[in-house]
């Protein structure tokens, strides 16, 4: 992966400040345990603790940590869905590190425009270490996005989106349809742009 | 493949009952249980195991957590066996893998283990057990492609053409299997419960009437000929069960109508086995017309047994057939009698599908006239060499020594002959079951009666069709 565990101290620090005290008391030990396990690189155990914390009312911040943990655990698709949920539950909960993990999840799920957008959003807010990681992954993506995207990539994204919608994962479906729409916009013929937009709208209204 | 040490650690982590937290907290256990069930439902087995174990630590009396831990332990043990089986398969040791896969299935069935078990059962020739495992694996969308591919191979092996075609069409949806599936789809179009064949050919023969000559070179009547042939095979249960077939052919000479040849035959029999052992038995009727007149009627049984030392291994084939022959024209009455022949062949399959067979054949003809009765035997060689994906070389050669029972009264000498013959053909598969062929062949007979020595060579080309239905 692209980030060493030592950089994840930021997560534990974030949990140790005032934000953590805003969570439900029963959830707090699980948030702390999740952060500790995350720092130790035990992402599966960290994931469980963040999920328990979320179940005990930890709120939006646990959703962000959960999403970051899924990204680090190599479950990119689950991470994309979890980040989308975190953005719904706590729109202001993101920080450069979490957005970086979201970009990594996009990248690992082969959603390169999604990754590029997230990385661009980090901008000047990142510290030197994160900025270096952002630049590394940006440099990897940049040549892959040159030229017109193939129509088959858009077709495949619509298929993946449809599959996610059928599996009752509307947030994940939206991520795929959004990527499909963005790729369509980069083609002169706007391949299936209307379909992508329509499905994005439909997925957005699905409970 | 997961390293054995890591598998051991996973097994220990999941299968050992964890030390409980003090004091117990059933409410907290429920929170872990909820997460565990969600993770398990999403297919994240390791995260689920972590959560179940944590639930168990907070509430050692929680039955749901206990049950899940036992289930996950069985799953982990099955996964460990599966990994070992994959190693065995990688080392071309499917028999050893089969035991591991069966044990894995008994601990915790999984589509992956079922697929591999089906593949190894197919390799072992156990088609029915393989089919059951592969059908179950095909229900998993991730494994449907390879499962359908192997189901297609089983159907093809069993001569169930339409089933094979639908399986290969389904397997072709998987990009990694598409080239192989399409190739086998072409092959499966020639297979089925009904197989219809046809052939159209043009040829030339240097010595149609097998005229004797004092030199090894042919000196008879050369002529060109056109051939048309058709056949139909019905095997209602595929390659394992009863069958009936009929065939007819007609060769028309361009200049020598007395040598026109027509034949029609019908047979019915039973075939059984597959993989390492296979047997056929049939009874056939045949009638031959020569020069536009009835010439020979015959009937008789045939049997064949083939044994192979494992799939793709060396094989041994023993064949026998007997014919009660009745020559219709009075001139040839004395040739009538009982003719039987046997052959023993050993076959080897080489890389890229090349096949070589060597054997010995023996014929005993008991004609009505003893001077026409003979014993004939000699070696035979057959080669089948794929040239490209759609073409092959087929060659055969044989030598036979023939000893007649009595002196030939016309020549006053005992007739003894040595014959050599061979043919070489190339075949090109076109689409939809059509195959082009080009063949050269020849032979030489040296007889103790010089006037009967003769030789010939010929060439032919044409088109064959084989099409399977149902």
């Amino acid at each position: 992966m692209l980030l060493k565990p030592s950089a994840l101290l930021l997560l534990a620090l974030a949990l140790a400040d005032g934000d953590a005290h805003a969570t439900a008391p029963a959830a707090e030990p699980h948030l702390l345990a999740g952060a500790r396990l995350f720092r130790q690189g035990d992402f599966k155990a960290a994931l469980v603790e963040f999920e328990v914390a979320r179940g005990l009312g930890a709120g939006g911040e646990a959703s962000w940590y959960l999403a970051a943990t899924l990204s680090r655990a190599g479950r990119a698709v689950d991470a994309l869905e979890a980040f989308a949920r975190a953005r719904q539950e706590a729109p202001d909960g993101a920080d450069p590190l979490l957005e970086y993990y979201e970009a990594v999840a996009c990248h690992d799920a082969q959603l390169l425009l999604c990754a590029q957008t997230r990385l661009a959003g980090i901008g000047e807010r990142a510290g030197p270490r994160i900025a270096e990681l952002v630049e590394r992954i940006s440099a990897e993506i940049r040549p892959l996005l040159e030229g017109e995207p193939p129509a088959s990539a858009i077709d495949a994204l619509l298929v993946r989106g449809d599959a996610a919608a059928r599996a009752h994962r509307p947030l994940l479906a939206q991520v795929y349809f959004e990527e499909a729409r963005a790729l369509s916009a980069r083609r002169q013929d706007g391949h299936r742009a209307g379909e992508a937009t329509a499905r994005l709208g439909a997925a957005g209204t699905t409970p | 493949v997961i390293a054995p040490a890591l598998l051991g650690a996973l097994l220990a982590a999941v299968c050992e009952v964890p030390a409980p937290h003090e004091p117990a907290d059933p409410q907290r256990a429920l929170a872990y249980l909820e997460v565990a069930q969600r993770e398990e439902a999403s297919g994240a087995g390791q995260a689920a195991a972590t959560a179940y174990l944590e639930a168990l630590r907070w509430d050692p009396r929680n039955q749901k957590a206990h049950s899940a831990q036992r289930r996950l332990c069985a799953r982990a043990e099955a996964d460990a066996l599966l990994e070992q089986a994959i190693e065995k398969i990688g080392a071309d040791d499917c028999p050893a893998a089969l035991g591991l896969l069966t044990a894995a299935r008994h601990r915790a069935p999984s589509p992956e283990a079922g697929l591999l078990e089906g593949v190894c059962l197919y390799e072992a020739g156990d088609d029915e057990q393989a089919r059951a495992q592969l059908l179950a694996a095909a229900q998993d969308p991730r494994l449907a492609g390879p499962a359908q591919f192997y189901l297609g191979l089983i159907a093809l092996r069993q001569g169930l053409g339409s089933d094979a075609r639908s399986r290969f069409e389904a397997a072709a949806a998987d990009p990694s299997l598409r080239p192989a599936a399409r190739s086998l789809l072409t092959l499966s179009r020639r297979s089925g419960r009904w197989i219809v064949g046809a052939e159209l050919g043009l040829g030339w023969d240097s010595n149609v009437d097998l005229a004797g000559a004092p030199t090894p070179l042919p000196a008879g009547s050369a002529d060109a000929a056109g051939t048309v042939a058709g056949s139909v095979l019905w095997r209602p249960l595929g390659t394992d069960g009863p069958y009936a077939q009929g065939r007819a052919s007609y060769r028309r000479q361009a200049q020598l109508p007395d040598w026109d040849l027509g034949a029609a035959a019908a047979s019915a029999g039973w075939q059984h086995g597959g993989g390492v052992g296979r047997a056929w038995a049939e009874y056939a009727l045949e009638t031959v017309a020569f020069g536009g007149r009835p010439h020979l009627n015959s009937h008789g049984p045939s049997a064949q047994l083939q044994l192979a030392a494992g799939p793709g291994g060396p094989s041994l084939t023993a064949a026998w057939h007997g014919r009660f022959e009745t020559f219709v024209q009075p001139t040839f009455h004395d040739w009538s009698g009982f003719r039987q022949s046997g052959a023993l062949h050993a076959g080897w399959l080489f890389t890229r599908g090349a096949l070589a067979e060597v054997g010995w054949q023996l014929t005993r003809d008991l004609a009505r006239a003893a001077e026409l009765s003979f014993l004939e035997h000699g070696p035979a060689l057959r080669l089948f060499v794929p040239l490209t994906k759609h073409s092959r070389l087929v060659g055969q050669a044989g030598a036979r020594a023939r000893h007649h029972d009595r002196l030939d009264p016309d020549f006053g000498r005992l007739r003894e002959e040595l014959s050599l013959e061979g043919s070489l053909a190339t075949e090109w598969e076109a689409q939809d079951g059509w195959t082009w062929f080009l063949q050269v062949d020849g032979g030489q007979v040296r007889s103790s009666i010089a006037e009967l020595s003769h030789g010939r060579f010929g060439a032919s080309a044409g088109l064959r069709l084989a099409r399977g239905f149902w």
Side-chain angles (χ1 to χ4, degrees):
Chain A
M1 292 298 283
L2 297 160
L3 194 62
K4 290 180 181 175
S6 57
L8 304 170
L9 279 168
L10 288 167
L11 259 183
L13 291 172
L15 290 169
D17 70 14
D19 289 349
H21 298 288
T23 62
E28 193 177 319
H30 296 285
L31 276 177
L32 291 170
R36 177 175 50 79
L37 290 163
F38 190 107
R39 200 167 58 243
Q40 292 170 353
D42 189 349
F43 301 113
K44 280 181 269 299
L47 170 70
V48 170
E49 293 300 335
F50 285 134
E51 281 204 73
V52 170
R54 193 165 169 273
L56 293 174
E61 63 178 331
S63 297
W64 281 103
Y65 301 142
L66 176 62
T69 309
L70 284 165
S71 176
R72 290 291 279 135
R75 290 168 58 180
V77 172
D78 291 336
L80 289 174
E81 186 179 31
F83 276 116
R85 188 182 300 114
R87 285 188 178 280
Q88 271 191 347
E89 292 176 358
D92 300 327
D95 63 27
L97 179 60
L98 292 167
E99 286 175 13
Y100 168 75
Y101 283 130
E102 188 175 8
V104 170
C106 292
H107 170 269
D108 290 351
Q110 300 294 308
L111 306 183
L112 300 185
L113 281 178
C114 165
Q116 189 183 53
T117 305
R118 300 293 176 252
L119 293 170
I122 296 171
E124 301 299 319
R125 294 180 292 139
R129 182 165 183 79
I130 299 295
E132 183 188 333
L133 293 167
V134 166
E135 181 46 38
R136 195 184 303 168
I137 194 169
S138 296
E140 186 188 327
I141 288 172
R142 209 171 290 126
L144 300 174
L145 287 172
E146 284 174 3
E148 201 171 61
S152 59
I154 296 164
D155 297 340
L157 283 165
L158 292 174
V159 169
R160 289 166 78 180
D162 288 340
R166 280 197 303 275
H168 305 292
R169 300 175 77 175
L171 291 175
L172 180 61
Q174 280 186 56
V175 173
Y176 287 132
F177 292 142
E178 178 58 48
E179 182 82 2
R181 187 173 67 170
L183 285 180
S184 295
R186 293 164 72 99
R187 285 177 59 91
Q188 280 195 339
D189 64 359
H191 180 73
R192 301 183 73 179
E195 285 179 64
T197 304
R199 291 185 204 190
L200 187 57
T205 58
T206 304
Chain B
V1 175
I2 302 175
L6 183 53
L7 273 174
L10 283 174
L11 278 174
V14 179
C15 294
E16 285 179 13
V17 177
H21 289 300
E22 294 290 349
D25 186 344
Q27 279 306 112
R28 194 179 286 205
L30 286 178
Y32 280 103
L33 200 58
E34 191 180 320
V35 170
Q37 288 166 338
R38 198 163 52 239
E39 286 295 311
E40 191 176 13
S42 72
Q46 289 186 35
T50 303
Y52 277 126
L53 290 174
E54 202 58 26
L56 207 52
R57 293 183 72 191
W58 284 110
D59 183 5
R61 292 187 299 177
N62 188 305
Q63 286 308 308
K64 282 186 180 172
H66 265 298
S67 164
Q69 187 256 344
R70 282 194 295 271
R71 191 175 67 248
L72 289 171
C73 175
R75 174 79 273 143
E77 287 176 343
D79 286 349
L81 290 165
L82 177 62
E83 294 301 332
Q84 291 174 38
I86 290 170
E87 283 185 22
K88 295 288 183 191
I89 291 170
D92 281 338
D93 191 358
C94 240
L98 259 180
L100 295 164
L101 292 164
T102 306
R105 174 157 53 84
H106 287 150
R107 277 174 175 74
S110 73
E112 289 85 356
L115 173 67
L116 294 178
E117 194 175 355
V119 170
C120 284
L121 285 165
Y122 164 78
E123 297 281 347
D126 188 347
D127 287 350
E128 291 316 305
Q129 293 289 330
R131 187 199 304 274
Q133 294 299 328
L134 293 166
L135 282 172
Q139 301 302 311
D140 187 321
R142 299 168 302 134
L143 308 178
Q148 294 286 6
F149 185 81
Y150 275 91
L151 284 166
L153 287 176
I154 290 173
L156 192 58
R157 185 155 73 184
Q158 295 184 333
L160 307 175
S162 61
D163 187 26
R165 287 188 283 280
S166 64
R167 301 289 181 193
F168 289 132
E169 278 166 5
D174 183 333
S176 64
L177 295 170
R178 194 166 295 151
R182 283 185 175 162
S183 175
L184 288 165
L185 189 59
T186 303
L187 191 61
S188 66
R189 291 198 177 100
R190 302 174 182 211
S191 180
R193 290 179 174 85
W194 288 87
I195 298 178
V196 174
E199 181 178 320
L200 284 172
L202 287 173
W204 177 86
D205 195 312
S206 68
N207 185 6
V208 177
D209 55 357
L210 302 177
T215 68
L217 288 174
S221 307
D223 196 10
T227 302
V228 57
S231 66
V232 60
L233 167 67
W234 179 51
R235 43 184 192 184
L237 302 179
T239 55
D240 202 352
Y243 67 89
Q245 62 182 329
R247 57 190 163 78
S249 63
Y250 182 64
R251 184 190 73 192
R252 185 176 180 84
Q253 297 294 144
Q255 298 171 351
L256 301 169
D258 285 348
W259 298 88
D260 288 350
L261 189 67
S267 62
W270 195 282
Q271 48 188 339
H272 179 70
V276 296
R278 187 148 193 81
W280 296 259
E282 69 170 33
Y283 202 92
L285 306 169
E286 186 176 25
T287 184
V288 176
F290 197 54
R293 291 177 298 176
H295 180 64
L296 168 66
N297 295 324
S298 67
H299 61 94
S302 298
Q304 186 166 314
L305 175 67
Q306 185 176 59
L307 298 171
S315 65
L316 191 65
T317 305
W320 172 85
H321 73 264
R323 286 286 181 276
F324 297 96
E325 297 178 329
T326 303
F327 284 84
V328 180
Q329 301 300 325
T331 317
F332 299 107
H333 271 176
D334 285 349
W335 268 270
S336 299
F338 182 62
R339 178 190 180 110
Q340 57 183 324
S341 60
L344 192 63
H345 288 96
W348 289 267
L349 193 62
F350 298 96
T351 53
R352 299 184 59 209
L355 175 75
E357 276 185 358
V358 293
W360 202 271
Q361 52 196 19
L362 178 74
T363 299
R364 175 64 172 150
D365 192 327
L366 285 170
R368 192 173 292 171
E371 65 269 22
L372 298 174
S373 298
F374 63 84
L375 177 70
E376 184 180 78
H377 65 97
L381 167 70
R382 195 169 81 92
L383 289 172
F384 177 96
V385 183
L387 297 174
T388 66
K389 193 175 172 185
H390 298 292
S391 66
R392 55 189 168 258
L393 196 65
V394 181
Q396 52 189 356
R400 291 193 304 273
R402 178 185 288 192
H403 307 269
H404 282 256
D405 287 9
R406 288 205 188 153
L407 290 178
D408 189 310
D410 294 336
F411 294 97
R413 276 172 286 170
L414 184 67
R415 188 173 162 190
E416 292 192 322
E417 292 172 347
L418 175 66
S419 62
L420 302 170
E421 61 184 19
S423 69
L424 193 61
T426 51
E427 298 177 347
W428 296 272
E429 284 178 15
Q431 289 189 332
D432 298 326
W434 291 95
T435 301
W436 290 96
F437 69 90
L438 177 63
Q439 176 173 306
V440 291
D441 58 281
Q444 186 74 38
V445 175
R446 300 295 304 276
S447 176
S448 58
I449 300 171
E451 295 89 327
L452 297 179
S453 294
H454 62 270
R456 59 162 293 279
F457 59 88
S460 57
L463 193 57
R464 292 192 191 105
L465 170 70
R467 184 71 66 82
F469 300 94
W470 300 290

